[in-house]
């Protein structure tokens, strides 16, 4: 371990790898957002904010897994301030703890508790359209081996969402928490995935005015992506998790048997071409397959104009992989430095959209702290800064509710 002080992104990576212990001085019940076991269980940590000079970093730190109990990091409260103490080096890092939004406990017109419809993950609103995933209901179960969704159905969230409930929650999140991005996600729905998402996408665009992302199982009916784009989808992400086909098959039996790895690549390439550079992402897990495969995945994703969403593997309690070791910091730092370099090499616009901070991953924009000083870095950063300014009026327009002509109830016939 390097005894020098870590920059905010390095601290984020090390906390993802080691987790954190909680000192009795912490009063998180009053001060923090409640731990929410959504998103395959990845939201099982504590939301914190690491301040930085380039940007603040939001992250969800593991606290309840075994490896977190042995962490060299300790979170303690001193007066009103929260400090992360690295007990190996003595360094102290000041962090902020985001409070639970008041709207979580409000109810929709239909009486649904809003926090059971959607939750903030960083600064964006994550909504599981349906958190029942059919992989959990086959015999033997075909669930992804790192996932705990099957044990969470209906526990923290309403299992299937109602469109008007979702609209009201999005409105509250926008008004009270400044949310700009709503992300719809779902487990495997046997080919009905995109059809189920359509009414939600349209309703948010028409009645709320927010950027909308969709993360579903890929379909071979690529024309359905055109339909969702017509309905207002701004972003697609594809969780293919592992580049190495052997790891894909070993840890993702359901995805292997129903859609296959190639469908992810086809959908990623198709939507990236349609929406343009930096609008689509490929989601992978780092720390399980060999690092060379992870680096290859990052090169592939950025090579097709998308951005890499890299999750540091978390052995979530209750998952089949709960005893798999958490990754090593040194390897993960190499991965995230590579994320920056690959985005730079492929001129991927990162960090353009307003107020989208994703706490479950180390996002490409965070890796700017790992950039090696060089002329190419300076030119890339200058370009990003110009693009950020040019994009402002476009995002302002997108954040206003507007009429969508396309019909969300029936998918149009393929051309
Ligand atoms: S597709 Fe995999 S990761 Fe997603 S909910 Fe189903 S089992 Fe979990």
């Amino acid at each position: 371990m390097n005894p020098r002080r870590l920059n905010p992104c390095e601290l984020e990576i090390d906390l993802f790898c080691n987790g954190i212990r909680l000192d009795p001085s912490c009063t998180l019940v009053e001060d923090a957002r409640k731990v929410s076991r959504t998103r395959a269980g990845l939201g099982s940590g504590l939301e914190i904010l690491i301040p930085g000079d380039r940007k603040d970093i939001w992250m969800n730190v593991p606290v309840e897994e075994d490896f977190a109990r042995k962490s060299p990091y300790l979170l303690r409260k001193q007066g009103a301030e929260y400090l992360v103490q690295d007990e190996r080096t003595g360094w102290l890092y000041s962090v902020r703890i985001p409070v639970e939004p008041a709207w979580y406990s409000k109810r929709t017109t239909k009486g649904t508790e809003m926090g059971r419809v959607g939750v903030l993950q960083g600064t964006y609103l994550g909504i599981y359209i349906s958190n029942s995933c059919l992989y959990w209901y086959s015999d033997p179960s075909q669930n992804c081996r790192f996932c705990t969704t099957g044990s969470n159905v209906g526990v923290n969230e309403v299992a299937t969402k109602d469109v008007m409930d979702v609209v009201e929650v999005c409105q509250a999140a926008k008004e009270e928490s400044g949310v700009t991005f709503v992300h719809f996600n779902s487990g495997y729905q046997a080919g009905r995935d995109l059809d189920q998402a359509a009414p939600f996408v349209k309703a948010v665009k028409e009645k709320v005015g927010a950027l909308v992302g969709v993360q579903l199982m890929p379909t071979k009916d690529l024309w359905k992506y055109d339909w969702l784009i017509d309905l207002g989808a701004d972003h697609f992400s594809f969780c293919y998790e592992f580049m190495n086909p052997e790891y894909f098959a070993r840890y993702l039996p359901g995805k292997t048997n129903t859609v296959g790895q190639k469908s992810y690549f086809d959908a990623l390439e198709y939507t990236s071409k349609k929406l343009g550079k930096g609008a689509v992402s490929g989601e992978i897990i780092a720390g399980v397959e060999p690092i060379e495969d992870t680096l290859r995945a990052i090169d592939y994703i950025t090579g097709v104009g998308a951005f890499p969403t890299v999750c540091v593997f978390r052995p979530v309690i209750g998952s089949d992989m709960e005893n798999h070791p958490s990754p090593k910091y040194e390897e993960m730092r190499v991965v995230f430095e590579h994320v920056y370099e690959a985005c730079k090499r492929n001129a991927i616009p990162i960090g353009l959209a307003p107020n989208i901070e994703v706490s479950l991953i180390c996002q490409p924009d965070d890796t700017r702290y790992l950039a090696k000083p060089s002329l190419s870095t300076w030119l890339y950063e200058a370009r990003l800064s110009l693009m950020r300014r040019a994009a402002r009026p476009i995002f302002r327009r997108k954040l206003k509710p507007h009429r969508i002509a396309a019909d969300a109830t029936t998918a149009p016939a393929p051309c």
Side-chain angles (χ1 to χ4, degrees):
M1 179 69 214
N2 196 330
R4 74 175 167 78
R5 188 177 172 83
L6 301 180
N7 69 42
C9 182
E10 290 171 327
L11 179 61
E12 176 187 28
I13 297 168
D14 209 16
L15 285 170
F16 272 130
C17 294
N18 284 301
I20 201 165
R21 290 173 293 118
L22 305 176
D23 186 74
S25 58
C26 300
T27 49
L28 296 173
V29 176
E30 296 91 60
D31 298 341
R33 292 179 183 172
K34 67 171 181 268
V35 166
S36 179
R37 294 179 67 84
T38 53
R39 297 274 153 143
L42 270 189
S44 59
L46 174 71
E47 296 268 306
I48 69 166
L49 193 151
I50 306 169
D53 51 355
R54 280 167 176 251
K55 64 166 296 206
D56 295 344
I57 288 183
W58 291 72
M59 78 168 295
N60 184 284
V61 197
V63 287
E64 53 180 39
E65 288 76 16
D66 276 352
F67 72 95
R69 298 212 183 97
K70 295 176 208 137
S71 173
Y73 288 104
L74 180 72
L75 181 71
R76 59 184 171 85
K77 191 174 182 184
Q78 200 168 285
E81 191 187 13
Y82 275 94
L83 295 167
V84 171
Q85 183 176 354
D86 184 342
E87 293 185 336
R88 296 162 300 185
T89 59
W91 284 112
L92 279 177
Y93 301 91
S94 176
V95 295
R96 298 206 289 277
I97 307 288
V99 292
E100 177 135 319
W103 58 264
Y104 271 21
S105 54
K106 292 184 184 165
R107 292 196 178 261
T108 65
T109 309
K110 288 189 171 148
T112 316
E113 195 183 325
M114 290 192 171
R116 285 173 61 80
V117 174
V119 288
L120 297 184
Q121 282 155 341
T123 61
Y124 80 95
L125 181 65
I127 297 179
Y128 249 105
I129 299 168
S130 164
N131 68 352
S132 68
C133 166
L134 297 181
Y135 292 152
W136 287 85
Y137 301 107
S138 58
D139 190 15
S141 173
Q142 300 198 72
N143 61 287
C144 304
R145 298 308 182 212
F146 55 83
C147 173
T148 59
T149 291
S151 339
N152 299 338
V153 176
V155 178
N156 295 300
E157 292 197 64
V158 178
T160 306
K161 305 299 185 306
D162 171 86
V163 173
M164 275 323 289
D165 275 354
V166 165
V167 164
E168 288 178 33
V169 169
C170 292
Q171 282 165 339
K174 185 177 178 185
E175 280 159 26
E176 297 180 30
S177 301
V179 161
T180 55
F181 180 55
V182 179
H183 197 227
F184 290 116
N185 181 288
S186 167
Y188 177 57
Q189 304 296 315
R192 293 278 307 149
D193 312 63
L194 272 73
D195 304 70
Q196 285 177 1
F200 292 96
V201 174
K202 176 166 170 152
V204 170
K205 296 309 275 192
E206 286 196 322
K207 298 186 194 313
V208 183
L211 300 170
V212 173
V214 175
Q215 184 180 85
L216 304 170
M217 218 54 67
T219 177
K220 288 191 168 59
D221 297 328
L222 295 172
W223 54 271
K224 282 196 179 176
Y225 292 109
D226 299 343
W227 177 43
L228 280 202
I229 292 168
D230 288 345
L231 290 169
D234 300 284
H235 162 78
F236 295 99
S237 52
F238 298 98
C239 305
Y240 73 93
E241 325 294 6
F242 303 114
M243 194 74 191
N244 185 317
E246 278 173 35
Y247 283 74
F248 187 94
R250 188 186 310 162
Y251 292 113
L252 314 173
K255 291 183 178 184
T256 301
N257 295 333
T258 56
V259 288
Q261 196 186 36
K262 186 172 179 301
S263 296
Y264 284 87
F265 299 150
D266 291 344
L268 180 69
E269 289 168 29
Y270 184 82
T271 53
S272 182
K273 229 177 250 157
K274 285 275 167 182
L275 284 177
K277 260 192 184 178
V280 169
S281 76
E283 192 157 316
I284 52 169
I285 296 174
V288 176
E289 65 182 344
I291 188 173
E292 296 71 31
D293 292 317
T294 306
L295 302 184
R296 211 156 46 81
I298 293 165
D299 289 338
Y300 162 70
I301 293 165
T302 50
V304 299
F307 64 91
T309 312
V310 184
C311 301
V312 175
F313 170 68
R314 185 181 304 193
V316 177
I317 292 176
S319 70
D320 298 333
M321 293 177 78
E322 69 175 10
N323 294 318
H324 196 285
S326 180
K328 295 258 172 299
Y329 166 80
E330 291 72 16
E331 282 205 343
M332 293 303 102
R333 198 192 183 289
V334 171
V335 165
F336 288 107
E337 193 175 314
H338 195 77
V339 166
Y340 183 85
E341 289 302 319
C343 287
K344 180 175 82 175
R345 193 169 56 250
N346 291 287
I348 306 295
I350 55 174
L352 259 50
N355 193 34
I356 304 183
E357 299 295 340
V358 182
S359 60
L360 302 182
I361 57 153
C362 174
Q363 53 185 25
D365 197 24
D366 299 349
T367 66
R368 291 168 59 221
Y369 281 107
L370 309 179
K372 289 189 191 122
S374 67
L375 178 62
S376 59
T377 297
W378 187 88
L379 288 171
Y380 180 48
E381 287 294 326
R383 190 159 179 264
L384 287 178
S385 166
L386 284 175
M387 290 176 87
R388 221 167 276 132
R389 243 170 282 157
R392 270 183 212 144
I394 301 169
F395 286 120
R396 257 201 304 274
R397 265 200 312 279
K398 280 179 174 275
L399 290 172
K400 288 190 184 138
H402 55 274
R403 197 181 158 270
I404 299 287
D407 177 10
T409 50
T410 330
C415 313

